Amino acid sequence: MTDVTVAPLLDRLDDYLEREGLEAVWFARPNSFAWLTGGGNNIVDRATDIGIAAVGYDGDERTVVTNNIEGQRLIDEEVGDVPVETVEWYEDGVADAIRAHSPQPAAADFDVEGFDTVEARDLRQPLTADQIEQYRSLAADATRAFEGVLRDATAHATEREITADIHRELEAEGIWAPVVLVGGSERAPVYRHYTSTETERGDYALASITAMRDGLFVSTSRTIAFDAPEWLAERTDDAARVETTALAATQRVGREGGTAGDVFAAVQDAYAKLGWSGEWENHHQGGAAGFAGREWIATPTHDAPVFLPMAYSWNPTVQGAKSEDTHLVTDERVEPISVTGEWPRTTVSAVGADLTLDRHDVLYL
């Protein structure tokens, strides 16, 4: 549990309650529970998308509702000074407990009989100053663990062995990774989502993670090589230029007002000018990060607003190559946060925009 200032979040919820004519709003999905509790974790079973507790706000205060198994642990370790109400585990589920404790009319981010449905994505944007500091800490720890495993990987290690090592090192930092992909030289040029197998990593490999702590998600990818194919360096550079273009467009659209589709148009144009017209059709290009791996994934017609300050994880691919990091984009700067300073980097420029960034290059082992 991390101490964060929740006043900006409550201001957003006050506006939401007034706009929708509601008395309370409740969140039981883990990312929004973390958002409103400053990083609290309501997950016991990772196979479910609804946690064992919900946090609500009624215009005056926050309240957590859970069962008697979890109540004291949440007080001690997860939700700080937020009041906790408990029900007997054998009597009521979270939905029934909310109905018993909440003023109405109300909304929830999961199915509660008689409640409206709240879409939490826009409420979670933009990031607050405290959330940004949590994000920087997460990104530094996750990237350090991730890169350390890749530097130690041998040519004969299997994709699954590398994946297992990544999970172990992340868990040691209190980080859960819902996505870990490792594709060796046999499979990375063929598949955009190289889910790990018993195949050896071979001459080169792409590895990608999306990792979560305090409800925040960071995504990053790295390339390692022993005997890289001739095309790898050029395609990696092109992917990095598309990524940099997406970040430049994100900042421009966020300043001027616009949508995810406006950013995507710049991505399409960059691919075409680099000689990869239509390459964007082979894989999604990423989008806004935060309290989800992607708060939204951009498409040509996506109308999601572009908030600043906000985290963005763009992930362009070019036939066996990829460039991906999480960046904090504000009015003033584009800051890479999934960075350790211990990986090779190269300077690349956006296509058709005035932005130059140091991007991660291939690590030759």
Side-chain angles (χ1 to χ4, degrees):
M1 175 68 185
T2 303
D3 290 331
V4 299
T5 302
V6 299
L9 313 184
L10 301 187
D11 288 343
R12 295 180 201 175
L13 292 179
D14 284 333
D15 291 342
Y16 169 78
L17 293 176
E18 181 177 1
R19 184 171 66 250
E20 300 298 325
L22 299 172
E23 295 296 322
V25 60
W26 292 84
F27 303 96
R29 295 187 183 276
N31 51 355
S32 291
F33 183 91
W35 172 74
L36 191 52
T37 58
N41 181 6
N42 69 342
I43 301 171
V44 172
D45 181 354
R46 291 179 177 177
T48 63
D49 60 358
I50 304 300
I52 46 76
V55 59
Y57 177 67
D58 63 2
D60 292 318
E61 66 175 358
R62 295 171 295 162
T63 303
V64 167
V65 173
T66 188
N67 63 55
N68 64 302
I69 301 173
E70 310 298 341
Q72 192 60 50
R73 180 179 64 81
L74 294 180
I75 293 169
D76 293 342
E77 300 179 347
E78 301 295 348
V79 300
D81 60 358
V82 181
V84 175
E85 301 286 343
T86 62
V87 296
E88 299 302 320
W89 66 266
Y90 51 86
E91 291 183 348
D92 293 320
V94 173
D96 288 337
I98 288 174
R99 290 182 64 211
H101 283 82
S102 179
Q104 296 189 39
D109 69 345
F110 72 116
D111 188 21
V112 179
E113 183 179 352
F115 281 34
D116 292 349
T117 299
V118 57
E119 172 51 66
R121 184 189 70 187
D122 288 350
L123 292 172
R124 297 193 298 255
Q125 301 177 77
L127 296 172
T128 68
D130 287 339
Q131 290 166 353
I132 287 170
E133 289 308 308
Q134 286 179 300
Y135 227 138
R136 289 182 175 127
S137 175
L138 161 66
D141 290 344
T143 306
R144 187 182 310 108
F146 179 48
E147 289 182 354
V149 171
L150 297 180
R151 278 194 298 269
D152 292 339
T154 67
H156 298 294
T158 69
E159 296 165 349
R160 284 181 181 162
E161 288 171 340
I162 298 171
T163 298
D165 289 342
I166 292 169
H167 277 295
R168 184 184 65 248
E169 293 301 315
L170 290 173
E171 290 279 358
E173 297 290 343
I175 299 168
W176 172 52
V179 178
V180 176
L181 305 175
V182 178
S185 55
E186 179 180 328
R187 299 175 63 253
V190 180
Y191 308 112
R192 305 297 166 127
H193 285 156
Y194 26 85
T195 53
S196 306
T197 70
E198 287 300 319
T199 307
E200 291 184 356
R201 55 147 285 194
D203 292 338
Y204 93 104
L206 291 178
S208 303
I209 62 170
T210 294
M212 185 275 286
R213 187 174 66 194
D214 297 326
L216 292 163
F217 290 75
V218 63
S219 295
T220 186
S221 294
R222 295 290 184 269
T223 309
I224 54 176
F226 282 107
D227 185 15
E230 294 181 358
W231 47 261
L232 182 60
E234 180 180 357
R235 292 183 191 179
T236 300
D237 188 73
D238 285 347
R241 293 196 66 192
V242 175
E243 183 191 20
T244 303
T245 305
L247 290 162
T250 300
Q251 187 178 57
R252 173 180 57 80
V253 172
R255 288 169 174 168
E256 298 174 357
T259 68
D262 297 325
V263 178
F264 201 86
V267 170
Q268 292 172 295
D269 185 62
Y271 272 117
K273 288 181 177 176
L274 291 170
W276 298 102
S277 183
E279 181 68 8
W280 60 269
E281 298 180 58
N282 296 316
H283 187 238
H284 81 77
Q285 302 300 303
F291 286 86
R294 298 292 187 275
E295 294 282 11
W296 47 257
I297 292 175
T299 66
T301 59
H302 204 301
D303 62 357
V306 176
F307 290 97
L308 303 179
M310 194 63 198
Y312 290 89
S313 297
W314 297 101
N315 49 260
T317 59
V318 180
Q319 296 182 11
K322 184 177 185 179
S323 185
E324 176 185 29
D325 272 305
T326 300
H327 290 75
L328 176 65
V329 183
T330 72
D331 280 325
E332 296 80 26
R333 63 181 301 198
V334 175
E335 175 192 349
I337 59 173
S338 51
V339 174
T340 65
E342 299 174 1
W343 198 272
R345 292 163 71 83
T346 184
T347 301
V348 301
S349 57
V351 177
D354 184 20
L355 179 65
T356 299
L357 293 174
D358 284 342
R359 300 302 305 114
H360 289 104
D361 207 350
V362 179
L363 173 64
Y364 294 91
L365 298 171

